[in-house]
Amino acid sequence: IIRWLSDETYAEGRGWMKGGYRTHTEEETERVVKLKKARIEKKKYFLGSPHVRMDYAKGFPKEPLPSLWFFDKVVRDAGLQTHEPKKRTRGQDRVKRLRFPITSIIKLGRIQQSSDFIGKKFITGRSEPISIFSTSYYQWFQLYEIWRTEAESAMCAIAKLSLFWQTTPIPNVMRMDNGMTFRGTGAGVARVGTFLKFLLNLGVTPLFSSPYQSYTNPHIEGHNRTFTEKLWGQHTFKTLDEIDVECERFNAESREYYEYAFRERLTQKSLRFLLPNRPIITDALQGTRGKKVCFIRFVEQWLERDRQSGIILLNKFIPLPETYLNQYVFVTINLETSMLHIASEHDGIVDEILRQPFPYTL
């Protein structure tokens, strides 16, 4: 076998030279290299193989479309990789060992989206900070868009999403961090804020990430990194208009791939969109039937609670048995019944560990 593998050609007639491709031609290889170089030269924001493969499909519509593996291989062999391959991180091991509720999150809904305000930015000659809002689908669709907003406020986020959902599907789940902008509760306890009412009135389930543990929420934390590396870090902005132009170009590239890769899914009649003339209600909750707010939480000991084990929900402490200390739990507040449900997950099996009343205010 060792001698056979060292041969330059194979006697049994496989038909390809060692180091070459069995089913692909040199012409296909040259096309991929050319398309990759074109994206780099045009300073495109998205340079990965899926986007090069999209260019190939559009440029050669009558030709067989090579696999994504082939694009990765050609780009790697040509030395055209534009970023280091992803490395396995400690966070991936942690979320498995500490019973991160992956199954519970997936089952929340088919289309899942995340939103975030990226940290304050500044440009030369302007003392006022610049606020950037970003959002992306991370389940069933893939689309990432960013906009400059007047402030990091719930109403600015609502305005952007209301316009966004007129042309892109309303998700089943919206995942976000625990900032007061989204949570809507400062000193108030167990209060459903403005942004939550907006989502719930549209049939979207809010999902809050675990506080201070970014590795459990790569979709949201990735917004800041993507924006900084691909847009903010590559330009020197002098005016707000320049920022808006680049954000628009970034969004156009992202939407091009979204419309190409998910064109069949986008034809499904079950998708929901926001009508332009539909009123946006944020000051009241229009019914509670079937509505809930969900949380990912890490069980800790709280010094201010005499080292009692538990979690914090909407500024309210919920004690839990010590046996669940230092692990994740999945929490659901059923707004229809005013009940709290807490579950622990292990190897995809979900067990309810607590059920109790949870009165809240609007």
Side-chain angles (χ1 to χ4, degrees):
I1 293 174
I2 293 174
R3 186 177 66 253
W4 176 72
L5 289 173
S6 66
D7 291 341
E8 292 297 325
T9 58
Y10 298 106
E12 28 62 295
R14 284 195 181 185
W16 80 91
M17 296 290 292
K18 183 179 180 180
Y21 300 110
R22 181 166 63 93
T23 59
H24 297 291
T25 66
E26 189 63 32
E27 183 180 17
E28 289 175 318
T29 302
E30 292 174 357
R31 289 173 180 173
V32 172
V33 171
K34 185 177 181 179
L35 291 170
K36 176 73 174 187
K37 288 182 176 179
R39 278 196 164 260
I40 295 173
E41 290 169 0
K42 293 177 182 178
K43 296 183 178 180
K44 294 279 190 177
Y45 285 114
F46 299 93
L47 302 171
S49 293
H51 295 83
V52 178
R53 192 167 185 255
M54 173 187 67
D55 295 340
Y56 191 105
K58 291 183 176 182
F60 309 97
K62 296 182 180 180
E63 298 286 336
L65 184 60
S67 67
L68 191 59
W69 171 89
F70 175 70
F71 283 83
D72 287 337
K73 182 73 165 59
V74 170
V75 168
R76 188 164 55 247
D77 291 346
L80 294 174
Q81 285 179 294
T82 50
H83 62 84
E84 291 290 332
K86 291 184 178 179
K87 297 180 180 179
R88 187 174 179 85
T89 63
R90 290 187 302 167
Q92 291 174 308
D93 294 326
R94 284 179 184 172
V95 296
K96 182 178 181 180
R97 185 177 68 253
L98 302 180
R99 300 191 174 186
F100 191 74
I102 296 175
T103 299
S104 299
I105 295 171
I106 293 173
K107 288 183 177 180
L108 271 182
R110 180 179 63 174
I111 304 173
Q112 299 197 14
Q113 184 177 345
S114 62
S115 291
D116 190 24
F117 275 102
I118 297 173
K120 300 287 188 181
K121 301 294 181 181
F122 295 87
I123 61 175
T124 304
R126 178 185 170 90
S127 59
E128 297 87 355
I130 296 168
S131 300
I132 304 292
F133 179 71
S134 65
T135 191
S136 72
Y137 293 110
Y138 64 89
Q139 182 170 295
W140 217 67
F141 288 123
Q142 180 182 328
L143 175 64
Y144 178 28
E145 296 207 353
I146 50 181
W147 306 280
R148 182 179 61 84
T149 62
E150 295 300 319
E152 291 188 6
S153 69
M155 295 312 297
C156 284
I158 289 170
K160 293 301 182 182
L161 289 173
S162 298
L163 187 62
F164 180 74
W165 286 336
Q166 291 180 20
T167 58
T168 54
I170 298 173
N172 305 106
V173 178
M174 175 61 78
R175 192 168 177 176
M176 53 207 150
D177 63 24
N178 293 268
M180 195 171 65
T181 300
F182 300 125
R183 188 164 41 91
T185 55
V189 176
R191 181 176 177 273
V192 177
T194 298
F195 191 74
L196 296 185
K197 292 172 188 173
F198 163 69
L199 295 178
L200 292 165
N201 286 337
L202 293 178
V204 180
T205 298
L207 172 62
F208 286 97
S209 63
S210 182
Y212 311 117
Q213 295 176 337
S214 59
Y215 63 85
T216 66
N217 201 353
H219 314 291
I220 291 177
E221 294 302 325
H223 290 182
N224 197 327
R225 183 174 61 255
T226 301
F227 174 81
T228 301
E229 292 179 357
K230 293 191 174 184
L231 194 150
W232 195 263
Q234 295 183 14
H235 298 84
T236 301
F237 297 109
K238 297 180 180 179
T239 67
L240 298 180
D241 288 341
E242 290 178 354
I243 298 174
D244 293 339
V245 167
E246 286 305 313
C247 286
E248 185 176 346
R249 186 166 77 88
F250 182 97
N251 294 343
E253 288 187 27
S254 180
R255 187 169 286 267
E256 180 188 16
Y257 180 77
Y258 157 80
E259 293 174 348
Y260 160 77
F262 304 102
R263 55 187 179 275
E264 293 184 4
R265 293 184 179 183
L266 288 170
T267 62
Q268 295 194 13
K269 295 182 179 180
S270 60
L271 299 179
R272 301 182 303 136
F273 296 87
L274 191 61
L275 298 176
N277 57 352
R278 175 170 175 170
I280 304 300
I281 299 174
T282 61
D283 58 350
L285 188 59
Q286 295 181 305
T288 59
R289 185 175 181 180
K291 295 180 179 178
K292 57 189 177 183
V293 181
C294 298
F295 305 79
I296 304 165
R297 286 295 182 265
F298 190 70
V299 184
E300 303 175 78
Q301 285 185 330
W302 297 81
L303 295 176
E304 58 270 35
R305 300 278 177 176
D306 296 325
R307 302 192 67 84
Q308 192 172 9
S309 300
I311 59 175
I312 299 291
L313 293 176
L314 300 179
N315 295 337
K316 185 175 183 179
F317 179 74
I318 307 295
L320 288 171
E322 284 192 13
T323 186
Y324 299 106
L325 188 64
N326 296 327
Q327 75 155 73
Y328 291 99
V329 291
F330 189 78
V331 185
T332 302
I333 299 176
N334 188 320
L335 300 180
E336 183 177 358
T337 61
S338 296
M339 292 292 292
L340 174 71
H341 303 265
I342 300 181
S344 176
E345 181 179 317
H346 180 59
D347 290 338
I349 299 174
V350 181
D351 295 312
E352 187 174 71
I353 61 175
L354 180 68
R355 178 186 296 186
Q356 68 181 43
F358 191 89
Y360 61 90
T361 59
L362 299 174

